[in-house]
Amino acid sequence: GENVEQHPSTLSVQEGDSAVIKCTYSDSASNYFPWYKQELGKRPQLIIDIRSNVGEKKDQRIAVTLNKTAKHFSLHITETQPEDSAVYFCAATAIQGAQKLVFGQGTRLTINP
Amino acid sequence: DGGITQSPKYLFRKEGQNVTLSCEQNLNHDAMYWYRQDPGQGLRLIYYSQIVNDFQKGDIAEGYSVSREKKESFPLTVTSAQKNPTAFYLCASTEILGNTIYFGEGSWLTVV
């Protein structure tokens, strides 16, 4: 089955700097890669996703890149703000039948003012 | 996200007791899921269902049971066989062959 590894587990950056979180996956059949943001005690919220037919996707300060050959994908947050502080999860799945999202272990991002 | 309702928000279970977590969605989604999240950890799949009256085990199904008698409902029972049930439980749903998976607000289960 699919296995997703996420690094780093914790990340601290100065406000205004960029943050990068990286994930690797094992199943070459995976073709959908979402990123979720989770605040303490709340549900995960989708912030951006990418399919395997594109290499990069951007939404304002957030971007995701995908390298299918190397089986890794990354989340980039630019011009970080205090409200970006949260736990971020990457996930991977093959869109066929029921999607079984497999999640990484999460990255706790802290933005220092 | 507002279309998935989980209840109760907080639940306390005594040793040896079965408890049921409710999940209802009004998004007309075909697939529904239950995930477990332990403090500081990622989400692990317990059970999932693609259609009514059908469901499959996820990665950590032991000690749990589900039913899917209606499209909009996917309750999870935590049985006494689950020895360490204290966790945050998240229900989710998606359209078959869709992309975005939506989560409910979650239920906190604590063993007392």
Side-chain angles (χ1 to χ4, degrees), chain B residues 80-93:
Chain B
S80 57
Q82 172 50 241
K83 297 307 179 186
N84 185 24
T86 296
F88 188 45
Y89 290 85
L90 287 157
C91 179
S93 71

Side-chain angles (χ1 to χ4, degrees), chain B residues 15-58:
Chain B
E15 294 283 349
Q17 190 179 48
N18 292 355
V19 294
T20 297
L21 306 179
S22 170
C23 179
E24 303 278 332
Q25 54 99 359
N26 62 4
L27 301 169
N28 200 34
H29 284 170
D30 295 295
M32 297 186 74
Y33 309 80
W34 275 104
Y35 284 89
R36 168 178 171 150
Q37 186 175 30
D38 292 283
Q41 301 296 315
L43 284 72
R44 293 183 291 167
L45 183 63
I46 305 173
Y47 268 98
Y48 65 101
S49 169
Q50 300 181 65
I51 57 173
V52 174
N53 293 323
D54 186 53
F55 47 83
Q56 287 78 42
K57 293 181 179 180

Side-chain angles (χ1 to χ4, degrees), chain A residues 76-90:
Chain A
H76 305 254
I77 306 174
T78 59
E79 301 173 12
T80 53
Q81 302 169 2
E83 53 265 36
D84 294 329
S85 294
V87 179
Y88 291 81
F89 292 97
C90 62

Side-chain angles (χ1 to χ4, degrees), chain A residues 31-88:
Chain A
N31 55 9
Y32 175 62
F33 308 93
W35 285 88
Y36 287 85
K37 175 183 180 182
Q38 186 179 32
E39 297 178 352
L40 188 63
K42 297 189 176 181
R43 60 185 156 191
Q45 299 271 12
L46 180 73
I47 56 171
I48 196 168
D49 56 12
I50 191 169
R51 292 177 182 263
S52 58
N53 58 348
V54 298
E56 184 174 0
K57 183 177 179 181
K58 189 174 182 180
D59 182 4
Q60 300 181 334
R61 298 186 296 108
I62 295 173
V64 57
T65 58
L66 171 65
N67 183 327
K68 288 169 53 181
T69 303
K71 294 183 189 172
H72 66 71
F73 55 113
S74 300
L75 177 71
H76 305 254
I77 306 174
T78 59
E79 301 173 12
T80 53
Q81 302 169 2
E83 53 265 36
D84 294 329
S85 294
V87 179
Y88 291 81

